Amino acid sequence: MKNKFIYLSILAMAGLVSCEPEFENAVDTNYTAGEADFSSYVAIGNSLTAGYMDGTMYKSGQANSFPNLLSQQFATVGGGVFTQPSYEEDVNNLGGILGVPGFGTRRVINFATSAPENIAGTSTITLTAQATAYNNMGVPGAKSFHLLAPGYGNPAGLALGQANPYYVRHATSNTSTVLGDAVSKNPTFFTNWIGANDILSYATTGGIGVDQTGNPNPLTYGTNDITDPTVFAGVYSLIINGGTHPAFGTVTGLAQNGAKGVVATIPSVTSIPFFTTVPYNPVTAAAVGGASNITALNAQLYGPLKQALTAFGAGSRINLLIATGGNPLLIKDESLTNLSAQLTAAFTPSLGAATAAFYGSVFGQARQATADDLVLLTTSGVIGTAPTGVPAPLDKYGVTYPLQDQHILIPSEQTAIANATNAYNAAIKSIAASKGLAVADMNAILGVLVNGLRSVDGSIYTANYFSGAATENKVLFSLDGVHPNARGYAVIANEIIKVINAHYKSNMPFLNPSYFPGINVVATN
C-alpha cells in the first residue's frame, strides 16, 4: 500500500496480538537475555518497521516504531544503543517530504468536523543525505527485492522510479543496498518484517497491478504488481542466509555470521481497516436526495439496464434500488464477460447510436457490489463525485457510473492476494526453521485483533478505523487505515517480546499500550 509508503506495506501491520497479551509485568529483577545477545540490534523491513503512521513518516510517530520500543526493553538485558534515521528537520511534526510529489503531511482528526484530514502546513523534511547506516533500516515502500537493489538510495533514480526517497535520505552511498547497510552494523540480533508491500501495493490500488506469479525477473515488475512467490522465497533466503543473486550479485545475510533474530509473517492485508471501513451498500434514499430519486433512477437507468442484461442471460448483475435501506454500489468487474456490443445494440433504438455506444462501453462489465467485494478506504471520497468528462445523468460514481478497478477489490483479486500471502508465509517459516529463528506469526495474530482484545488492565482495543469519540482511545490503527498508531506498535512490540522470551529463554518486561498515544486530534486545522 500506491507504493508511496507503501506499504503498506499493509499492513499489514495490523497483525498484532494473541488472545491474552501481557501488557505489563510485576516488577522483576531477574530480567535476562537468555540465549540472545541484544548488544547490536538491527531491524529491517518496510513502513511497518520504520514507524510509519497516519499516512507518512513524522518525528513523533517514528519515536514509537516497534523496533525503537523493543530496543528500550532490550536495554534492560544488555541491549546496546539503537539509532533511527533523523527526522529532526520535522520541526512542526507534519511529516511528508518537501518537494516530492505524493508525500503529503500526516492525517489528523479535525475536532471541529470530527473528520480525518491532512494536517495543514508545509513539510520541512528534505532529501539531504545523512549517509548513515542506522539500527532501524525500515524503508517505507520497500518490497523484498528492493532490500538487495544497488541504487535504491540514489537520488538520480527518483525520477525513473528506481529509487526510494526515504532510503535516499540515509543511504551510505549511491550504490549501497538496504541490506548491506543493515549488515554493516554487525547485528547480534535482528528483526525482519519484509514482504507486505509485495502484495499491499497491489491491494491498496484495487488490483490494478499484475500478478507476476511465474515471472522470475523482479526487474520487470511494475510498482503495483504482486511478487512471484518463488522470487520472494529466493530473495528472503538471501536476506537471511546470504548468497548470490543473478540480478543483485553477492549478498551477505543477516544471520550469516551467527546472529539470532525474529522474522514476522505477513498478515492478511484485506482484513485491515483500509478494506473493511467503507460498506459495499451505502446508497440510501437520503444519500441520493430522497425516495423520489430512487424511483427515478429505477425508471431511467436500473430498470432498462436490468431488462437488457436479462435478455443476455446476465440479469443478476443489476437489481432495482430500494427506498427503505442501503443499496449496493455500482462497480466495474473486469472478470465479467464484456457485453458492451450487446448493450449498444439493445439501446440504439431508444437512445441513438452514439449515446447507446457510450452506455455499452460504460455498463458492459458493470454490476452491483456484494458483501464479497472490498471497497477501499480512499474510495469513500470518490463515491458520488463526477467522473472526468462524463455528462449528467451518469455523472455519479458508484450510483450512475461504475466505480473502476482502482476503487474496489473484487473476489478474484482477493484470491490472488491470499494465494501470494500463503506462499510467502510458508517460505518465511521454512527459512526461519532452517536457521532456528523465532517466528512472530502476525498473520495469525491479526485474526485475533480484528475481533477485539482485552488487556490485563481491562482496556479494550479494536481494529476498527476511527469512527468518532467513542472509539478514539480504543483503536490500534492510525488514520491511513493501514498502519498501526503508536498504541498499535506497542502491541506489536509486546507480541515480539513474547516470541523472544519463549524461543530464546529470555525474560524481558512488556509495554503497556495504554501509555501510548492513539488518534491525533487537533482543535482546528
Side-chain angles (χ1 to χ4, degrees):
M1 208 209 322
K2 288 186 179 179
N3 194 22
K4 299 174 185 176
F5 3 96
I6 27 304
Y7 185 112
L8 49 61
S9 17
I10 140 249
L11 150 324
M13 35 243 95
L16 309 181
V17 256
S18 61
C19 296
E20 293 292 337
E22 289 183 76
F23 289 143
E24 49 186 332
N25 288 359
V27 175
D28 188 343
T29 58
N30 296 313
Y31 293 142
T32 174
E35 298 171 354
D37 176 0
F38 301 110
S39 58
S40 180
Y41 164 48
V42 171
I44 199 164
N46 51 37
S47 52
L48 297 169
T49 295
Y52 195 103
M53 65 182 81
D54 298 318
T56 190
M57 287 293 301
Y58 58 98
K59 184 165 60 175
S60 65
Q62 186 210 37
N64 291 304
S65 72
F66 85 81
N68 197 44
L69 300 182
L70 281 179
S71 71
Q72 295 167 21
Q73 306 309 94
F74 293 167
T76 66
V77 292
V81 173
F82 188 81
T83 59
Q84 303 194 98
S86 174
Y87 280 86
E88 287 305 308
E89 292 177 306
D90 193 16
V91 292
N92 294 317
N93 216 28
L94 300 181
I97 301 180
L98 183 64
V100 180
F103 288 76
T105 56
R106 65 187 174 104
R107 302 281 282 173
V108 295
I109 294 293
N110 185 341
F111 182 78
T113 61
S114 295
E117 56 191 51
N118 283 65
I119 193 168
T122 301
S123 175
T124 54
I125 299 172
T126 71
L127 293 177
T128 302
Q130 298 172 21
T132 302
Y134 292 98
N135 293 82
N136 189 342
M137 290 298 297
V139 178
K143 297 188 178 187
S144 57
F145 52 85
H146 289 148
L147 304 188
L148 310 182
Y152 195 53
N154 185 348
L158 288 173
L160 302 174
Q162 298 170 347
N164 181 307
Y166 288 111
Y167 186 47
V168 165
R169 296 184 73 244
H170 61 88
T172 55
S173 75
N174 288 343
T175 58
S176 65
T177 68
V178 177
L179 180 60
D181 282 352
V183 171
S184 74
K185 301 293 291 183
N186 298 313
T188 57
F189 194 88
F190 65 86
T191 54
N192 177 14
W193 195 4
I194 195 67
N197 285 336
D198 291 73
I199 49 174
L200 186 62
S201 54
Y202 175 89
T204 56
T205 54
I208 63 172
V210 176
D211 182 356
Q212 293 287 358
T213 298
N215 181 356
N217 184 4
L219 299 182
T220 65
Y221 295 177
T223 298
N224 300 316
D225 293 353
I226 295 177
T227 301
D228 170 69
T230 301
V231 168
F232 178 86
V235 167
Y236 202 93
S237 179
L238 288 171
I239 292 170
I240 299 298
N241 300 311
T244 302
H245 189 278
F248 304 124
T250 301
V251 174
T252 300
L254 291 168
Q256 195 164 332
N257 295 320
K260 294 179 171 62
V262 177
V263 299
T265 60
I266 300 162
S268 177
V269 298
T270 53
S271 296
I272 62 177
F274 190 87
F275 302 100
T276 60
T277 299
V278 183
Y280 76 94
N281 59 346
V283 183
T284 63
V288 299
S292 61
N293 285 338
I294 292 288
T295 301
L297 285 168
N298 284 335
Q300 298 169 13
L301 178 62
Y302 283 80
L305 190 56
K306 182 173 180 62
Q307 182 178 10
L309 289 170
T310 299
F312 306 126
S316 62
R317 294 185 185 183
I318 297 292
N319 290 307
L320 296 181
L321 304 181
I322 61 173
T324 56
N327 294 284
L329 292 163
L330 190 63
I331 69 172
K332 178 181 179 180
D333 182 344
E334 63 272 18
S335 70
L336 295 177
T337 299
N338 194 333
L339 298 176
S340 293
Q342 293 90 328
L343 290 176
T344 297
F347 286 129
T348 294
S350 59
L351 300 178
T355 301
F358 180 70
Y359 269 61
S361 66
V362 170
F363 298 111
Q365 291 179 300
R367 65 171 173 84
Q368 286 169 312
T370 73
D372 293 327
D373 298 303
L374 298 177
V375 186
L376 310 189
L377 182 63
T378 47
T379 300
S380 63
V382 175
I383 297 169
T385 64
T388 302
V390 176
L394 300 185
D395 58 343
K396 295 290 184 291
Y397 260 131
V399 181
T400 58
Y401 191 92
L403 291 164
Q404 300 296 292
D405 189 13
Q406 69 269 25
H407 301 135
I408 302 284
L409 269 184
I410 61 176
S412 60
E413 294 166 340
Q414 296 172 48
T415 297
I417 292 167
N419 289 342
T421 300
N422 292 336
Y424 296 172
N425 285 340
I428 290 170
K429 292 176 181 179
S430 175
I431 293 166
S434 71
K435 297 294 289 187
L437 301 174
V439 177
D441 195 350
M442 293 300 177
N443 195 36
I445 290 165
L446 178 61
V448 176
L449 178 65
V450 295
N451 294 316
L453 61 102
R454 181 187 299 273
S455 74
V456 293
D457 67 356
S459 298
I460 302 294
Y461 298 101
T462 76
N464 296 333
Y465 187 71
F466 175 81
S467 56
T471 64
E472 180 180 340
N473 295 314
K474 299 178 180 179
V475 297
L476 294 172
F477 278 85
S478 71
L479 293 171
D480 58 33
V482 174
H483 300 82
N485 56 28
R487 193 166 291 160
Y489 280 121
V491 174
I492 290 177
N494 279 339
E495 287 304 311
I496 294 175
I497 290 171
K498 288 170 64 175
V499 168
I500 294 171
N501 283 349
H503 191 86
Y504 293 112
K505 301 179 177 59
S506 306
N507 180 26
M508 286 183 293
F510 293 91
L511 298 155
N512 188 326
S514 66
Y515 294 167
F516 293 84
I519 299 297
N520 291 297
V521 180
V522 296
T524 58
N525 190 26

